[in-house]
Amino acid sequence: MAATAAANPTISSISITRLSSLSPPSHHFNKLIYHLLKPIPKPLHVTHSKNPLSDIIRETTKNLDNNSLYFNDDDDKPREECGVVGIYGDPEASRLCYLALHALQHRGQEGAGIVCVHDNVLQSVTGVGLVSEVFNESKLDKLPGDIAIGHVRYSTAGSSMLKNVQPFVAAYRFGSVGVAHNGNLVNYQALRAELEENGSIFNTSSDTEVVLHLIAISKARPFLLRIVEACEKLEGAYSMVFLTEDKLVAVRDPFGFRPLVMGRRSNGAVVFASETCALDLIEATYEREVYPGEVIVVDKEGVQSLCLMPHPEPKSCIFEHIYFALPNSIVFGRSVYESRRTFGEILATEAPVDCDVVIAVPDSGVVAALGYAAKAGVAFQQGLIRSHYVGRTFIEPSQKIRDFGVKLKLSPVRAVLEGKRVVVVDDSIVRGTTSSKIVRLIKEAGAKEVHMRIASPPIIGSCYYGVDTPSAEELISNRMNVEEIREFIGSDSLAFLPLDSLKKLLGNESSNFCYACFSGKYPVEPKGKVKRVGDFLDDGLSGSMESIDGGWLQGTRNQKGVVNRTLNWEQEINFSK
C-alpha cells in the first residue's frame, strides 16, 4: 500500500472518511481525495530540558555513612510504560495537557514532557521526575499555542535518562514532527539495525525514535501517508499522538493493545488521552475510542479518520482493567471500576472462606475487595494504610529492619486485624516477594488467619507490549503451583481469579482481549530480542538499577499464538459495539 501511495499522489488506494459527528467509521470508507500538503520550510525547534545530568542518572544501592541507601520503587507489580495526551484547538493547550498528564501520572512517574506549536515552531519542555517536578508556571509560559501533545513515562524500552523522555521532536525535509508513544515495538531491534545500516543516527535507546526515522525516510505524500507507511513496518503495541505545525494525529496499532480515547471540550477542542480520567479533569466529554488500526487527523479542516492497515480482531490488554487504569476510567469501552468489583465478586463465589473481615492491599486491590466483601456479606475495613509520601530514596538504619521497604509503604491497623480471620484482596502476584512480606506484616499485627485472594489469573509469561514485567523465570506462578505459592508467601489459603471465569465475564468480547501474560500465547510474536527494564529489581521496593541498560529478553516462538494478519477491514471489527 505504501509503495502505491508514494507513486500515486491522488492516493486513490486509501479511503478517508470525514467525521462530522465522530460516529464510528463504516465498514466501507467513502473514497475521497486527500489534498496534498505543500512542502514548507523547516521551522525552528526549541527545546527546554529540566535537570542537570547529576539529577538524571540514578545511583545504585550503596553504603553511605554506614547506612544503606535504597531506591524506593513501586511495589512488586507490572508497570505500565506511559500515558499520552494530545489537544487541538484550545488556546491553553499546554496547560490543559499539563493537567491531563497529572491525571495520567499513575501510568508513569520517571519523566514527563509537553510539545506545543506556536508560530509554526514546535517547542518542547521535558524533564525527569513527576509532572509537578518537571513543570511550573515559567515552563508552561514557554509553551504557548493551541496544539500540544504530552507524555508521562515509565521506561520499558530505553533507560531512564532525559534524552529518552518524550515527546520526541525531529526536523526533516518537510518540516518538524513530535511524537508521544505508549506501547512497545517487538521488532524494534530489527528496524533499528536496518535503519543504522542505511545511515540513520540514533540519539536515544527508545524504540519510539524508530518511528521518527521511518517517517523521515518515507517518500509518501502527504504527511498522513508517511505515518501510515511508517506504521506498516511496526509490529507490537503502539498508541501514539503526532504533532506537526498544523495537525494533530492519533494512531493505534491494529491489535489495539494499549488504550487511546477521544473527547471534545465545550469550545470544540479535540482531545486524545490514554484514559478517560484525563478527559474528566480538563472537562472534555468522552466521545469514543480510537479504534484498533485507525488513524485520526485533526486540523483546520476538521476531524478525519482512515484505516491504517488490515488487521485481525483486537487484542486489548486485560491488565488495564486488572491493575493499570484508574477505577474511574472507561477503558476499551468498559468501566474499570465495574470490572474490578466483579472480579472480587467472582472470587467470593468461587473461592469462599470463613472470615471476619475483608481488607485490600491498597490502592489497586480496593475495588475488588469491596466486591468480595459485598458478595460474601462480610465487612470491608481498611486494614492496611498506604503511605503516599515515601520518596524514591530512603536510608535504612544500621540495625536492619525486616521488610523495611514494605513497612515504609504499608502500615497494618492492629484494631482491624488482631484476632481476626482476614481475607486480603490484591490485584496480582508477580514474584511473590512483596506478598510474603504483606502476609507476615498482617500476622505480626495479630491476625488469626490470613487468606489471600488475587483478582487476576496467575501470571506465567512476560509482556512484550509496553508493560514492564520480569522474565518468565522470575514469575512465581511460572515456577510454582498455587499450593506451593501459598506456602511460599505464608498465607493460610490462596486463590486466583480463574481465567475461564474472567473470559466468561467478558462474554462475547472475551476474544478481543490479550491474555498472553496468563497463557503464554502471544498475538504478535517477538522477533529477536526485546528490550525491557525492571528485571534487576528485587521486589520493586528496594533493588539495584546498575544493569538497567543490559536487560534483554530473548523472543520466543509459539506458532499457535500467531494470528493471521491478512483479514480484510470489513471482516475484522464491528464498530457498532
Side-chain angles (χ1 to χ4, degrees):
M1 182 181 75
T4 303
N8 184 0
T10 62
I11 321 169
S12 59
S13 62
I14 301 294
S15 299
I16 301 175
T17 299
R18 185 173 303 280
L19 302 180
S20 58
S21 61
L22 293 178
S23 57
S26 64
H27 289 262
H28 301 280
F29 285 106
N30 298 324
K31 292 185 177 180
L32 301 176
I33 296 176
Y34 192 96
H35 296 288
L36 294 176
L37 297 175
K38 295 181 179 179
I40 59 175
K42 295 181 184 178
L44 295 174
H45 164 224
V46 182
T47 300
H48 306 281
S49 297
K50 177 187 180 293
N51 301 352
L53 188 62
S54 60
D55 291 340
I56 298 165
I57 300 176
R58 302 183 64 181
E59 301 178 43
T60 57
T61 305
K62 64 180 181 179
N63 291 327
L64 181 64
D65 296 333
N66 296 322
N67 293 334
S68 297
L69 178 65
Y70 290 90
F71 280 103
N72 179 34
D73 289 299
D74 206 352
D75 297 341
D76 183 21
K77 301 291 182 188
R79 295 181 179 90
E80 174 59 81
E81 181 187 2
C82 60
V84 299
V85 178
I87 298 174
Y88 182 95
D90 196 291
E92 292 193 297
S94 64
R95 291 174 183 268
L96 292 173
C97 210
Y98 160 79
L99 291 174
L101 292 179
H102 265 295
L104 297 175
Q105 187 75 85
H106 60 285
R107 299 184 75 88
Q109 300 87 43
E110 294 196 355
I114 295 174
V115 175
C116 73
V117 180
H118 181 60
D119 292 336
N120 283 336
V121 177
L122 271 62
Q123 302 184 79
S124 170
V125 173
T126 60
V128 172
L130 302 176
V131 174
S132 59
E133 296 169 341
V134 175
F135 296 100
N136 53 35
E137 191 74 25
S138 63
K139 294 280 187 181
L140 293 173
D141 286 342
K142 296 175 182 177
L143 296 171
D146 62 356
I147 316 175
I149 60 174
H151 188 272
V152 288
R153 89 185 293 265
Y154 174 83
S155 56
T156 297
S159 57
S160 300
M161 295 184 66
L162 181 56
K163 66 181 182 180
N164 284 317
V165 176
Q166 299 180 36
F168 292 156
V169 178
Y172 68 118
R173 65 185 184 277
F174 295 116
S176 295
V177 58
V179 60
H181 169 212
N182 178 21
N184 208 46
L185 306 179
V186 301
N187 63 338
Y188 157 66
Q189 281 299 309
L191 288 174
R192 177 164 177 159
E194 180 182 340
L195 288 164
E196 288 179 327
E197 200 170 300
N198 292 321
S200 293
I201 298 173
F202 284 78
N203 295 315
T204 77
S205 59
S206 171
D207 57 347
T208 309
E209 191 178 3
V210 163
V211 181
L212 292 176
H213 282 275
L214 292 174
I215 290 173
I217 66 174
S218 171
K219 293 180 173 57
R221 301 282 297 278
F223 172 74
L224 173 61
L225 289 190
R226 285 192 282 273
I227 290 181
V228 171
E229 186 174 271
C231 289
E232 285 180 327
K233 297 180 173 69
L234 306 179
E235 294 183 18
Y238 53 90
S239 287
M240 296 185 286
V241 287
F242 294 89
L243 184 69
T244 69
E245 291 81 5
D246 62 350
K247 287 178 173 55
L248 175 65
V249 182
V251 185
R252 197 164 166 219
D253 70 79
F255 287 89
F257 286 111
R258 309 251 66 83
L260 190 62
V261 297
M262 179 178 180
R264 194 182 293 268
R265 283 173 48 82
S266 59
N267 62 357
V270 177
V271 181
F272 298 101
S274 294
E275 291 183 37
T276 59
C277 61
L279 305 183
D280 295 338
L281 180 58
I282 62 174
E283 297 182 330
T285 302
Y286 169 71
E287 294 193 342
R288 67 176 179 92
E289 287 187 280
V290 176
Y291 300 110
E294 184 182 18
V295 181
I296 297 179
V297 182
V298 188
D299 57 18
K300 63 182 180 181
E301 301 298 325
V303 179
Q304 304 166 56
S305 169
L306 68 90
C307 172
L308 173 63
M309 56 192 293
H311 58 88
E313 63 185 354
K315 293 295 177 185
S316 303
C317 176
I318 190 61
F319 239 94
E320 292 285 349
H321 278 266
I322 291 170
Y323 176 67
F324 297 136
L326 285 185
N328 57 313
S329 286
I330 305 295
V331 175
F332 309 134
R334 303 176 68 96
S335 164
V336 175
Y337 186 98
E338 289 301 314
S339 292
R340 291 180 188 169
R341 182 183 57 79
T342 307
F343 296 161
E345 292 177 351
I346 293 172
L347 279 170
T349 301
E350 300 199 11
V353 65
D354 292 334
C355 62
D356 303 307
V357 64
V358 176
I359 70 169
V361 177
D363 295 312
S364 54
V366 170
V367 179
L370 288 169
Y372 187 103
K375 192 70 173 180
V378 179
F380 168 82
Q381 295 195 48
Q382 203 168 357
L384 291 171
I385 307 298
R386 183 183 179 92
S387 171
H388 294 275
Y389 308 105
V390 179
R392 285 190 172 272
T393 62
F394 54 81
I395 298 176
E396 183 177 2
S398 55
Q399 187 68 35
K400 188 171 177 64
I401 298 176
R402 188 171 65 169
D403 305 336
F404 184 44
V406 170
K407 287 177 179 176
L408 276 173
K409 280 280 181 102
L410 299 174
S411 302
V413 181
R414 184 173 289 272
V416 172
L417 304 172
E418 193 167 25
K420 303 287 181 59
R421 297 169 298 175
V422 182
V423 166
V424 185
V425 181
D426 202 357
D427 60 88
S428 60
I429 293 180
V430 182
R431 293 181 179 90
T433 50
T434 299
S435 296
S436 65
K437 295 171 184 178
I438 290 172
V439 170
R440 188 157 56 234
L441 200 66
I442 293 171
K443 287 193 172 183
E444 288 175 352
K448 184 179 178 181
E449 297 174 7
V450 177
H451 303 276
M452 289 292 292
R453 295 294 180 266
I454 308 302
S456 69
I459 301 173
I460 64 169
S462 297
C463 178
Y464 302 112
Y465 311 129
V467 178
D468 177 39
T469 50
S471 63
E473 294 75 19
E474 296 175 83
L475 296 168
I476 192 169
S477 293
N478 192 48
R479 297 183 287 109
M480 302 180 184
N481 60 34
V482 175
E483 175 57 26
E484 290 170 336
I485 298 171
R486 183 205 65 76
E487 187 174 344
F488 176 84
I489 67 175
S491 62
D492 293 278
S493 71
L494 170 65
F496 290 86
L497 178 70
L499 181 56
D500 289 343
S501 298
L502 173 59
K503 291 181 177 180
K504 184 177 179 181
L505 166 65
L506 297 171
N508 294 333
E509 297 179 356
S510 63
S511 62
N512 294 342
F513 287 87
C514 174
Y515 310 99
C517 55
F518 306 136
S519 66
K521 297 179 180 179
Y522 295 92
V524 181
E525 290 291 330
K527 294 185 176 180
K529 294 181 178 181
V530 181
K531 188 73 178 287
R532 84 209 190 284
V533 234
D535 303 327
F536 311 101
L537 303 181
D538 173 23
D539 59 2
L541 293 167
S542 60
S544 170
M545 299 290 286
E546 57 189 331
S547 302
I548 194 168
D549 207 35
W552 294 93
L553 186 61
Q554 183 65 46
T556 59
R557 285 290 174 190
N558 178 4
Q559 293 303 322
K560 290 183 179 179
V562 176
V563 180
N564 185 353
R565 302 185 61 181
T566 61
L567 300 176
N568 292 324
W569 172 263
E570 291 84 2
Q571 296 174 320
E572 291 153 8
I573 184 167
N574 181 2
F575 283 112
S576 63
K577 288 182 180 178

